[in-house]
Amino acid sequence: MKYPKVFFAVMIFLSGESPLFAQKGILKGQVTDTDSKEPLPFLNVYVSDKSVGTTTDFDGNYELQLEPGAYEIIYSSMEYGKTSRSVTLNAGETQTLNVSLEKADIKMETILVKTDKYARPIEEVVSSLDVLKPNIIENKGVTDVTEALEQAPGLTIVDNEPQLRAGSGYSFGAGSRVAILVDDMPIMSGDAGRPSWGFIPIENIEQVEIIKGASSVLYGSSALNGVINVRTAYPKSVPLTKINLITGIYDKPAREEAKWWEENFPFYTNMNFLHSRKVNTDSSKNLIFSFVIGGNLQVENGFIGPPPSDAEDKVPEWNRLLSQGKITAAQYNDSLEALSKDLKKGEFTNRGRINFNTYFKLRKLKGLAFGLNGNAMYGRSAGSLIWLNNTDGLLRAYPGALTTTLQPSLNFDPYVSYFDQRGNKYSFNSRVFYQNNDNDNNQQNNNTVFYGEFRYMKNLQKIKDFTISAGLTGNYVIAKSELYAGNYNQGMMGVYLQIDKKFWDKLTVTAGGRWEYFKVSVESVADNGNGASVPDSISNQTDNQPVGRFGFSYKAHKETYIRASFGQGFRFPTIAERFIETTVGGVPINANPNLKSEKSWNAEAGIKQGIKIKRFLGYLDVAGFVSQYQDYIEFIAAFYDSTKGLSLAESGLAFKSQNTHRTRVSGVEITLMGQGQFTDNFGINVLAGYTWAKPIALDPHQPFAVDDYGKQLDYINTSSDTTDYILKYRYQHIAKVDLELNYKNLSVGGSFKYYSFMQNVDSIFYSPAIEFIGIKARDYREANEHPEFVVDIRVSYQIASHSKVAFIINNLNNREYALRPLVMNAPRSYALQYSLNF
């Protein structure tokens, strides 16, 4: 049992508890903002020769242990610049030095990001990073966070699936290469790895950080392409209450024949609120308590309507298929039942959600903080998989393709952290996340995720600008579902280490590694009517993989930063990708229990240039990137099984996740973000970017599967367009601009989004089978082989210091467009928003 002793010896050494590091005097204090009086967390405090240093804790407190003598103490951050104070410390003396700082005039307000599990200035980040501040979320009148995320350069939300720099295609919501986090913890379903965007508390967002490139070292398997981290806000010194009301309607579509409603336009209404405050702030109280409580209510009658009444004309065809033995009696009855339901409804969303954050601190036990955060939602919604046809049925669902879901979701997040006097920070964060999707078409599924992470961070005092971060993380998933015809458990354990060192005040170097272990086990298998089965040989499957990263950021000039990074990625397939076995809208989705894990590497080089034009402050960022994947997982449509399906029964069409060998994505991205005041009354905010990507198949002729007729499947024969071997469901060119001008109480803003034509999709959409049932995917694509561009505008007016009204038009040009084939995006909409803060 020598290893625990060695471990504790190392931890004691890093913690500075050894007598070797005993100090003679203590300098402590609190750093606050001059104007707001708020404490400043994570601010650098160090001796001028950098022999000793630390960072302030969550409440702006710091403590340095120093030998007796005279010192110049530096207080530094990107946002506040550098401020020095002189102090003389005697042996055994404890001296308090509180400091109040003003923001530096030449720096941006958005500078502190948590891309490496702790806050750091944005210029020291070695990967590409975009930051969305609350003004974009609040001013665009969004009802869930995806509407704001769509404005981020290089990011596209395709049918609720995040794509970063063309790193992913379309996968029916099973599996994601972008980790979705709330306060550094994953908020994705345990079985499918799919985010529930409406569950994220938009009413309490401090900022959203979008990290691009392989991030598996710190964030695990699902961060193969990057991370979207939503950071919630904690209370300030002054209590705050916010109420936000939004109501809107959808306009008639550009194509008159596609309008399915008679008089009442589809509408949506959203109300959210927030209250935050600190309690027991009096210095005589031992317990300091802060809390945030918020909620959201959404009612929407969607713009996708039910199938028309003449859909009943399909019944004679179904009778024929039944009489010929092409379908079973059960499939016939299920389809009649689905048709009956579909004729009465279209898409809709009704949900209610409430969330809370709590923070406790004991004055007598300095450095200790703990609390419990939580979020609960109940929703009822209906969503459509494919349209009825490419003309009058563009905004109607195909019979059987509408699914109604009752979805209760909740999470509870206990946490505790301790920041000691020697700069060691220990924290434990945990989450229990439950989600139940009670669908009306034999696709019920629920899952529970138990997640925990222990973190350790240390700024070593004897080594200048040296930080070590380490962690142990794990989760356990219990999944029960008709979709998977059984019950499955999946476990993960990971350990990571990262070191950061700064040299000569110019060069920041980051290096780290992670090892992760997965195991999925089959608890039971049942017949869901789709013939699902799991061979005994793969009833328990494991995989593990080490990954590493390295990067640097170099300050080449006053506001010029050059960076480069290399990182590896590893993604274990989700339960849904492996075991799903169902039929949606007459289209079977088949299991692939033998699916292998993805592996990848990502390299990037970039330059970030600070911009200062009078009082405008911003960054221009240019980056080149390349990612390569092995055993890449794609959702492939082919003729896998001619015995399943109804509308497509004669074709045998089905979807299945497949390992499609090697792929590569390379490209260039340019981003501009900034804000400024040209005069005391006139200001501007801007976020813009252009991304060019070339996602290609490296083994286009190498077979990866065999279809139901013995035909070998490869990239060539499963793609609609093989020019340059471009991967399916990707955009090669994306350009976005969001600009907001503020004059006194008036604000005028607009956004522009450009998407190049999606060159390649599954070849099955061009098959006679698809054409036969009237969907006409090929006809629509050939008639609309052009880029898409969408314009949104907004105008708001500050009625009084605490209230504001806004008018928003989304899709101003009423563009008819589909980011994913067979599902249309929303036509023009008008919304009125009222916000009250007090």
Side-chain angles (χ1 to χ4, degrees):
M1 300 296 291
K2 295 182 179 180
Y3 294 108
K5 295 181 180 179
V6 172
F7 173 79
F8 286 118
V10 171
M11 293 300 290
I12 290 172
F13 176 81
L14 292 175
S15 301
E17 300 290 347
S18 169
L20 179 64
F21 297 104
Q23 303 299 312
K24 301 299 183 180
I26 295 175
L27 177 68
K28 65 180 183 178
Q30 185 183 45
V31 185
T32 58
D33 182 280
T34 300
D35 297 325
S36 69
K37 311 302 181 184
E38 294 291 337
L40 300 179
F42 314 117
L43 186 133
N44 298 313
V45 182
Y46 55 90
V47 177
S48 58
D49 65 2
K50 297 190 175 180
S51 59
V52 179
T54 187
T55 59
T56 57
D57 65 13
F58 186 84
D59 295 303
N61 297 312
Y62 72 94
E63 185 170 302
L64 297 173
Q65 298 188 17
L66 304 169
E67 296 287 346
Y71 296 94
E72 182 182 14
I73 307 299
I74 307 297
Y75 303 84
S76 169
S77 81
M78 184 72 174
E79 189 172 5
Y80 288 84
K82 288 185 179 180
T83 299
S84 64
R85 295 287 189 272
S86 296
V87 63
T88 299
L89 195 65
N90 299 318
E93 179 186 9
T94 297
Q95 190 173 141
T96 299
L97 179 58
N98 297 324
V99 179
S100 177
L101 302 181
E102 295 182 353
K103 288 182 179 178
D105 291 335
I106 64 170
K107 303 299 181 183
M108 285 185 60
E109 184 177 351
T110 304
I111 56 93
L112 287 178
V113 295
K114 291 187 69 176
T115 63
D116 294 317
K117 301 283 188 179
Y118 66 93
R120 63 161 61 196
I122 193 172
E123 83 277 8
E124 294 182 5
V125 177
V126 301
S127 303
S128 288
L129 169 74
D130 293 327
V131 178
L132 300 183
K133 296 298 280 184
N135 67 294
I136 289 184
I137 298 169
E138 295 170 359
N139 296 345
K140 286 178 69 69
V142 305
T143 58
D144 72 50
V145 74
T146 60
E147 299 167 52
L149 290 174
E150 271 288 356
Q151 206 54 54
L155 174 63
T156 307
I157 309 294
V158 178
D159 208 9
N160 285 325
E161 297 176 23
Q163 296 183 2
L164 269 175
R165 292 176 169 176
S168 300
Y170 178 66
S171 62
F172 271 70
S176 175
R177 296 181 184 90
V178 179
I180 314 300
L181 313 174
V182 174
D183 293 327
D184 295 326
M185 289 192 292
I187 196 70
M188 306 165 77
S189 62
D191 55 353
R194 180 183 178 91
S196 180
W197 297 109
F199 192 58
I200 295 176
I202 58 172
E203 61 274 8
N204 184 31
I205 293 180
E206 180 179 7
Q207 65 185 30
V208 181
E209 297 160 3
I210 302 167
I211 310 164
K212 302 171 184 178
S215 303
S216 292
V217 166
L218 290 180
Y219 295 102
S221 173
S222 58
L224 203 69
N225 284 351
V227 174
I228 298 173
N229 186 19
V230 178
R231 290 174 57 185
T232 60
Y234 278 84
K236 308 297 183 183
S237 298
V238 178
L240 171 66
T241 299
K242 297 195 302 184
I243 300 174
N244 194 41
L245 301 172
I246 306 167
T247 186
I249 61 170
Y250 293 102
D251 201 353
K252 62 182 180 180
R255 196 181 309 198
E256 182 68 30
E257 69 222 50
K259 178 176 173 288
W260 54 270
W261 55 89
E262 296 296 330
E263 297 179 357
N264 297 323
F265 285 76
F267 71 93
Y268 60 92
T269 298
N270 184 280
M271 187 277 286
N272 61 74
F273 75 92
L274 171 78
H275 179 72
S276 68
R277 67 168 53 228
K278 290 184 176 181
V279 183
N280 288 352
T281 56
D282 189 286
S283 59
S284 64
K285 304 292 185 180
N286 180 44
L287 178 66
I288 302 173
F289 171 50
S290 301
F291 74 91
V292 178
I293 186 168
N296 185 287
L297 181 66
Q298 169 85 2
V299 177
E300 177 172 0
N301 175 18
F303 60 90
I304 300 295
S309 58
D310 61 5
E312 296 175 341
D313 295 342
K314 298 182 181 296
V315 175
E317 171 65 13
W318 296 346
N319 289 330
R320 183 182 68 82
L321 294 174
L322 179 64
S323 65
Q324 294 176 354
K326 299 290 182 64
I327 60 174
T328 67
Q331 290 172 327
Y332 177 82
N333 291 331
D334 286 347
S335 294
L336 285 180
E337 182 182 355
L339 176 61
S340 176
K341 293 179 180 179
D342 286 344
L343 292 176
K344 300 176 183 178
K345 68 180 183 185
E347 286 193 347
F348 66 88
T349 299
N350 299 320
R351 70 169 182 259
R353 177 174 47 72
I354 190 165
N355 66 89
F356 65 89
N357 289 354
T358 63
Y359 173 79
F360 296 88
K361 181 181 176 182
L362 300 175
R363 279 195 171 89
K364 293 182 180 179
L365 191 54
K366 295 182 178 180
L368 178 68
F370 57 94
L372 174 68
N373 301 338
N375 194 4
M377 181 181 77
Y378 182 82
R380 185 172 183 269
S381 62
S384 175
L385 182 66
I386 53 178
W387 66 38
L388 181 70
N389 58 53
N390 66 327
T391 53
D392 62 337
L394 277 174
L395 298 184
R396 289 184 180 271
Y398 190 80
L402 266 169
T403 299
T404 299
T405 302
L406 295 176
Q407 187 188 66
S409 304
L410 60 90
N411 71 270
F412 291 103
D413 306 342
Y415 69 90
V416 61
S417 66
Y418 179 65
F419 203 120
D420 71 16
Q421 297 179 359
R422 295 171 177 81
N424 301 289
K425 184 173 183 180
Y426 310 88
S427 63
F428 178 74
N429 296 274
S430 61
R431 169 167 288 165
V432 179
F433 179 32
Y434 171 80
Q435 190 174 70
N436 182 29
N437 298 299
D438 188 2
N439 299 325
D440 66 347
N441 52 2
N442 297 322
Q443 295 176 11
Q444 184 273 342
N445 62 94
N446 68 73
N447 66 93
T448 305
V449 181
F450 300 92
Y451 174 85
E453 181 178 11
F454 171 76
R455 304 174 192 164
Y456 170 76
M457 188 188 78
K458 169 71 173 178
N459 291 317
L460 296 183
Q461 296 180 359
K462 292 297 181 180
I463 305 177
K464 296 181 182 180
D465 298 319
F466 186 92
T467 302
I468 182 171
S469 306
L472 177 66
T473 182
N475 70 30
Y476 188 74
V477 178
I478 301 174
K480 301 178 180 181
S481 176
E482 294 172 326
L483 281 170
Y484 319 130
N487 300 330
Y488 298 83
N489 297 333
Q490 180 171 294
M492 180 277 292
M493 181 179 68
V495 59
Y496 62 85
L497 173 70
Q498 179 168 297
I499 58 174
D500 297 272
K501 179 71 173 74
K502 195 168 186 178
F503 301 89
W504 316 296
D505 282 338
K506 290 181 176 292
L507 177 65
T508 301
V509 178
T510 296
R514 183 186 187 99
W515 175 79
E516 207 162 49
Y517 171 85
F518 281 88
K519 179 179 180 180
V520 61
S521 59
V522 182
E523 292 298 311
S524 62
V525 177
D527 184 4
N528 67 352
N530 295 304
S533 62
V534 179
D536 292 337
S537 60
I538 54 102
S539 60
N540 290 282
Q541 206 163 47
T542 64
D543 202 354
N544 71 93
Q545 184 72 24
V547 294
R549 70 179 300 214
F550 175 81
F552 71 85
S553 174
Y554 178 71
K555 186 177 181 179
H557 194 55
K558 184 177 181 180
E559 292 294 336
T560 304
Y561 303 91
I562 299 171
R563 70 177 185 278
S565 63
F566 175 86
Q568 295 174 302
F570 165 66
R571 190 176 78 86
F572 191 73
T574 63
I575 293 172
E577 287 174 295
R578 273 200 166 104
F579 302 116
I580 188 170
E581 192 82 22
T582 189
T583 300
V584 181
V587 181
I589 303 174
N590 291 354
N592 186 358
N594 296 299
L595 210 57
K596 294 184 289 186
S597 300
E598 294 179 326
K599 300 177 180 64
S600 73
W601 59 262
N602 169 268
E604 178 184 293
I607 182 169
K608 187 185 295 291
Q609 176 62 55
I611 300 172
K612 183 177 183 294
I613 304 175
K614 293 186 177 180
R615 294 168 67 184
F616 176 84
L617 312 170
Y619 282 114
L620 177 66
D621 191 280
V622 181
F625 59 90
V626 59
S627 300
Q628 187 159 312
Y629 305 84
Q630 181 180 339
D631 293 322
Y632 195 71
I633 299 174
E634 290 270 63
F635 210 54
I636 303 295
F639 301 114
Y640 292 114
D641 192 342
S642 60
T643 66
K644 293 180 180 175
L646 179 60
S647 302
L648 305 179
E650 294 181 317
S651 69
L653 172 67
F655 281 86
K656 181 187 291 188
S657 294
Q658 301 280 8
N659 291 114
T660 60
H661 307 303
R662 297 180 305 145
T663 63
R664 179 187 299 144
V665 182
S666 55
V668 176
E669 185 170 85
I670 304 171
T671 302
L672 171 67
M673 67 176 182
Q675 57 194 33
Q677 289 290 130
F678 295 120
T679 68
D680 290 340
N681 294 322
F682 180 50
I684 185 174
N685 296 310
V686 61
L687 175 63
Y690 165 73
T691 306
W692 170 79
K694 188 174 183 180
I696 62 173
L698 297 178
D699 305 305
H701 298 281
Q702 186 172 345
F704 51 75
V706 178
D707 72 7
D708 194 54
Y709 304 99
K711 177 182 177 181
Q712 290 188 324
L713 303 178
D714 56 32
Y715 166 85
I716 298 296
N717 60 30
T718 59
S719 297
S720 65
D721 187 337
T722 60
T723 305
D724 296 328
Y725 302 139
I726 298 298
L727 297 174
K728 289 174 283 190
Y729 304 108
R730 266 72 167 189
Y731 293 101
Q732 291 185 260
H733 302 270
I734 299 176
K736 300 179 181 180
V737 178
D738 188 90
L739 181 66
E740 184 175 86
L741 302 175
N742 304 299
Y743 180 73
K744 293 185 177 180
N745 293 338
L746 180 67
S747 176
V748 178
S751 63
F752 171 85
K753 297 186 286 285
Y754 169 92
Y755 306 92
S756 61
F757 179 68
M758 183 181 286
Q759 174 183 315
N760 189 13
V761 298
D762 281 301
S763 61
I764 203 73
F765 289 125
Y766 284 26
S767 71
I770 291 288
E771 298 296 306
F772 171 74
I773 64 171
I775 291 178
K776 304 294 184 183
R778 180 172 187 168
D779 289 353
Y780 184 85
R781 281 178 54 81
E782 290 180 346
N784 293 274
E785 194 169 339
H786 52 67
E788 303 291 0
F789 59 92
V790 183
V791 178
D792 307 328
I793 62 171
R794 58 187 185 269
V795 179
S796 65
Y797 184 77
Q798 194 80 33
I799 302 172
S801 60
H802 299 303
S803 62
K804 182 172 66 174
V805 65
F807 182 64
I808 301 137
I809 304 178
N810 291 324
N811 194 2
L812 176 68
N813 47 335
N814 206 19
R815 188 77 171 180
E816 178 186 289
Y817 70 107
L819 291 184
R820 195 265 284 175
L822 302 184
V823 171
M824 297 302 298
N825 285 77
R828 180 168 49 222
S829 65
Y830 307 92
L832 186 65
Q833 176 176 272
Y834 177 73
S835 301
L836 180 65
N837 297 342
F838 56 92

